[in-house]
Amino acid sequence: MDANTQPRRAVLVGVAAGALGTLAGCLGDDDEDSYYEGEEFVDDEPEYDGTLESVDHPGTVDWTGEDEVTVAVGTGREGMGFAPRAIRIDAGTTVVWEWTGDGGRHDVVDTDGAFDSGQSAAEGHTFEYAFDEPGTYTYVCVPHEHRGMVGGVDVR
């Protein structure tokens, strides 16, 4: 083995390990589907004023009957999603958005101005809002709305 073989082999092993690590990252913690395991979905999906038309979501999760529910902020590919993306709750329920720490700075902003969390990138940061009035609410992450970081709350 000549002196140049060992460094080339080390470079190839390093490149392969980096590629596998990147692939594992794409397949691992980016799995937004895990947030939906065991959840019930509503039969009568709201339209959310078209806000969710351009994004992939499995449906509206039925969380009626709960006093407080938690939506993750910074999920999916590159941390650019909410999970669940759309929920149904009863009037009077408090929604807590909890940051995962993935995807950079996020916020939760109602498209009609009812609430605005302010931006944060800190894992474990929370923002909560009590939905007292029935209706359909849509919200976005302003810095990442163009990447499909949108959500909806259907209040009964």
Side-chain angles (χ1 to χ4, degrees):
M1 184 179 324
D2 67 17
N4 291 328
T5 304
Q6 191 62 26
R8 277 190 298 235
R9 183 175 294 151
V11 168
L12 288 174
V13 168
V15 168
L20 286 174
T22 300
L23 180 59
C26 289
L27 297 175
D29 58 34
D30 287 341
D31 185 10
E32 195 169 271
D33 292 339
S34 65
Y35 287 95
Y36 295 96
E37 289 178 13
E39 296 292 354
E40 300 272 333
F41 295 93
V42 301
D43 292 330
D44 54 338
E45 180 79 13
E47 292 193 22
Y48 299 108
D49 298 325
T51 301
L52 301 180
E53 284 180 2
S54 64
V55 296
D56 182 32
H57 77 102
T60 298
V61 173
D62 188 353
W63 279 348
T64 55
E66 302 292 329
D67 293 330
E68 183 177 287
V69 298
T70 301
V71 173
V73 178
T75 63
R77 186 172 183 186
E78 299 177 6
M80 298 295 157
F82 297 105
R85 187 175 302 277
I87 60 174
R88 176 173 289 164
I89 59 174
D90 296 314
T93 301
T94 298
V95 176
V96 178
W97 285 271
E98 183 172 355
W99 276 242
T100 65
D102 294 336
R105 297 182 72 74
H106 299 299
D107 57 12
V108 180
V109 178
D110 179 72
T111 56
D112 289 329
F115 53 85
D116 183 339
S117 69
Q119 291 186 13
S120 179
E123 179 179 1
H125 175 80
T126 61
F127 169 74
E128 62 183 59
Y129 184 81
F131 287 88
D132 294 325
E133 296 296 322
T136 302
Y137 300 78
T138 56
Y139 60 90
V140 301
C141 170
V142 173
H144 303 118
E145 180 179 7
H146 68 284
R147 297 191 64 187
M149 195 165 176
V150 298
V153 179
D154 183 37
V155 182
R156 294 297 167 123

